[in-house]
Amino acid sequence: MRQRTQDRALRERASKALPNGVYGHESTALLPDTYPQFFKRAEGAYLWDADDNKYLDFMCAYGPNLLGYGDKRVDEAATAQLALGNAMTGPPPLMIDLAEAFIDMISHADWAMFCKNGTDATTMARTIARAETGKRVILVAEGAYHGAAPWCTPVRAGTLPEDRAFIQTCTYNDVASLEAAVAEAGDDLAGIFAAPFKHDAFIDQALPDPAYAKRARELCDETGAMLIVDDIRAGFRLTRDCSWELVGVRPDLSTWGKCFANGHPISAVLGSERCREGAGAIYATGSFWFAGVPMAAALETLRIIRETDYLEHQIALGEHLRAGLETVAEAEGVSLRQTGPAQMPQILFEDDQDFRKGFAWTSAMLDHGVYMHPWHNMFICAAMTEADIDMTVEAARVCFAQVQADAEKLEPHPVVSAMFGARAAE
Ligand SMILES: *Cc1c(COP(=O)(O)O)cnc(C)c1O
């Protein structure tokens, strides 16, 4: 096993200086104990942990790394703007260049607003839908992640039932449940949120059923509600437009974040004429929302998205990985469930209710210098190469064999097995 001395010492300090250590999605609390928590450096497709172990990184910072860590083109644009000014008393002119460039790329969009995190964007889209319609109910799919604000956080500690009053749920890809939820909202429906595809943690991913997407559009047209596609995770990883262009459906609002400035902090709400007035009516702002550096990084990232084959490269690598893993898994007698778009892989094991096989396999992969995730979707970045994928597949073969050999001895993760224990007992 790899050395974790520095990481252990940092965790010890973190447990005192931070409440319960590192919080949120980058906490390793729900990962095997072998996972490093702290990283010193990242470059291209690679990460170095606090003990200088190097990993090929299939998490891509949980989404922001699209082109490779430290992409020179993007970071030079950011540095040039930093020399001019970052957070100033008003935005730089390039805010308009960025809005124009973004609107030009996204078919449904006529205007853009920028913020910092995905949660800012989804919360703002929710507020715009209500301001535009004068109605209250927001429909979301059960289990979908739209951010960490009280109205949408998956963990209820510190929130009130009232925070989620008027947030109703339906089942993704289930037209009947969508229709029933819309009927229940009566004439009080403000908006329908939709992930571009089902990419919830712990379960198989599912592509959108075009019938579901089309029905959501129709129901919004019939009721006057706003259709909102939350493209924060999948945006520019499926296509160079809003992801639901792939199923022929145009939303009124879309939310963007994570990767469109290749790791620089910026997110966005894009909207159509249908909700321009609502967007103009709300009070939306933040101390850093008008900072120029992330805008310069975003403008350059959008140029690279338009002008290079980064996307086709990611899809080809994702398909290469999926096929390679399928072959070696079969050879080693392992049944995998690989779901969703190949460039955003979710890799789960059959008959692995409490994820012990997945945990054993991804832990073994870490020892081979590959950082994968046992229950969250992963990402391919454009800095990866075919040789990286071949190395991954070869490591996977060795690690599948190891999991099979150890099958009887695998231990459940204490927290995760408690979460899924009931399911496992069914
Ligand atoms: C990450 C994510 C968010 C929240 O974005 P933050 O930048 O973490 O606030 C919202 N929606 C989806 C689909 C996401 O993946």
Side-chain angles (χ1 to χ4, degrees):
M1 206 213 280
R2 295 188 164 203
Q3 192 56 253
R4 297 267 186 270
T5 323
Q6 295 299 325
D7 197 69
R8 298 278 166 231
L10 291 166
R11 281 179 197 235
E12 181 57 30
R13 283 169 56 202
S15 71
K16 299 186 180 103
L18 310 169
N20 206 21
V22 172
Y23 38 87
H25 71 292
E26 292 195 353
S27 162
T28 53
L30 296 184
L31 287 173
D33 206 35
T34 47
Y35 271 68
Q37 176 68 77
F38 294 95
F39 295 96
K40 282 208 274 203
R41 192 162 82 78
E43 190 184 323
Y46 285 85
L47 280 174
W48 285 261
D49 71 15
D51 292 278
D52 292 315
N53 299 301
K54 180 183 177 185
Y55 306 94
L56 177 62
D57 175 28
F58 279 95
M59 284 317 288
C60 293
Y62 284 80
N65 176 21
L66 179 71
L67 304 171
Y69 289 115
D71 183 277
K72 285 212 162 44
R73 300 159 294 184
V74 176
D75 286 359
E76 274 167 19
T79 310
Q81 181 59 40
L82 185 60
L84 295 173
N86 190 18
M88 302 183 286
T89 305
L94 74 84
M95 183 179 190
I96 312 164
D97 300 334
L98 177 60
E100 289 171 348
F102 216 153
I103 297 162
D104 275 352
M105 292 169 72
I106 307 305
S107 302
H108 83 83
D110 297 308
W111 53 262
M113 292 171 83
F114 299 103
C115 33
K116 282 293 109 181
N117 278 288
T119 304
D120 299 334
T122 53
T123 302
M124 218 152 83
R126 178 207 62 165
T127 309
I128 290 169
R130 286 176 173 162
E132 182 64 45
T133 59
K135 297 175 181 178
R136 293 179 291 184
V137 174
I138 299 288
L139 196 55
V140 298
E142 189 69 48
Y145 185 70
H146 295 298
W151 71 273
C152 56
T153 176
V155 176
R156 303 292 167 92
T159 71
L160 304 174
E162 288 82 353
D163 292 320
R164 306 175 81 93
F166 308 109
I167 305 294
Q168 291 185 8
T169 58
C170 66
T171 305
Y172 194 85
N173 272 348
D174 181 336
V175 172
S177 108
L178 175 67
E179 287 173 341
V182 169
E184 193 178 327
D187 65 0
D188 204 14
L189 185 67
I192 300 177
F193 264 88
F197 69 94
K198 190 174 175 65
H199 48 39
D200 307 353
F202 295 106
I203 59 172
D204 293 334
Q205 302 191 108
L207 296 177
D209 179 348
Y212 178 80
K214 291 195 168 89
R215 191 70 187 121
R217 179 68 272 172
E218 281 168 13
L219 290 166
C220 284
D221 291 340
E222 285 165 21
T223 60
M226 298 296 131
L227 180 61
I228 305 151
V229 169
D230 180 359
D231 235 342
I232 289 167
R233 194 178 313 179
F236 298 131
R237 289 187 179 273
L238 307 185
T239 179
R240 294 174 176 82
D241 199 327
C242 177
S243 295
W244 267 16
E245 281 295 316
L246 295 174
V247 288
V249 172
R250 294 205 171 141
D252 305 297
L253 291 154
S254 57
T255 53
W256 299 78
K258 298 209 161 99
C259 77
F260 77 85
N262 202 46
H264 291 268
I266 187 165
S267 59
V269 180
L270 269 61
S272 67
E273 290 305 341
R274 196 158 180 258
C275 49
R276 186 189 285 270
E277 214 173 302
I282 70 163
Y283 185 70
T285 193
S287 297
F288 303 107
W289 287 18
F290 303 94
V293 169
M295 290 179 186
L299 191 61
E300 178 63 4
T301 303
L302 292 185
R303 184 195 67 75
I304 294 166
I305 287 169
R306 285 192 309 275
E307 295 180 8
T308 71
D309 68 349
Y310 83 99
L311 179 60
E312 292 68 27
H313 178 64
Q314 290 183 3
I315 293 170
L317 291 184
E319 288 172 352
H320 187 52
L321 175 69
R322 183 164 287 185
L325 290 180
E326 190 53 42
T327 303
V328 292
E330 219 178 284
E332 299 300 331
V334 170
S335 295
L336 287 185
R337 298 204 311 262
Q338 302 193 74
T339 54
Q343 65 276 28
M344 292 177 69
Q346 173 81 315
I347 304 173
L348 303 176
F349 286 65
E350 283 295 357
D351 302 321
D352 192 29
Q353 278 82 357
D354 63 7
F355 297 90
R356 66 179 76 182
K357 285 186 200 165
F359 280 8
W361 181 67
T362 53
S363 293
M365 292 295 279
L366 275 184
D367 281 342
H368 288 258
V370 181
Y371 191 108
M372 288 191 141
H373 204 290
W375 48 259
H376 193 287
N377 80 269
M378 295 176 265
F379 303 88
I380 304 281
C381 80
M384 287 180 185
T385 63
E386 203 155 316
D388 287 326
I389 303 298
D390 290 340
M391 180 274 274
T392 303
V393 170
E394 180 49 27
R397 190 183 59 74
V398 177
C399 297
F400 285 141
Q402 197 174 321
V403 170
Q404 291 295 74
D406 293 346
E408 299 305 316
K409 295 182 284 181
L410 300 179
E411 300 278 341
H413 183 281
V415 182
V416 174
S417 68
M419 285 166 65
F420 291 94
R423 205 178 83 181
E426 273 169 14

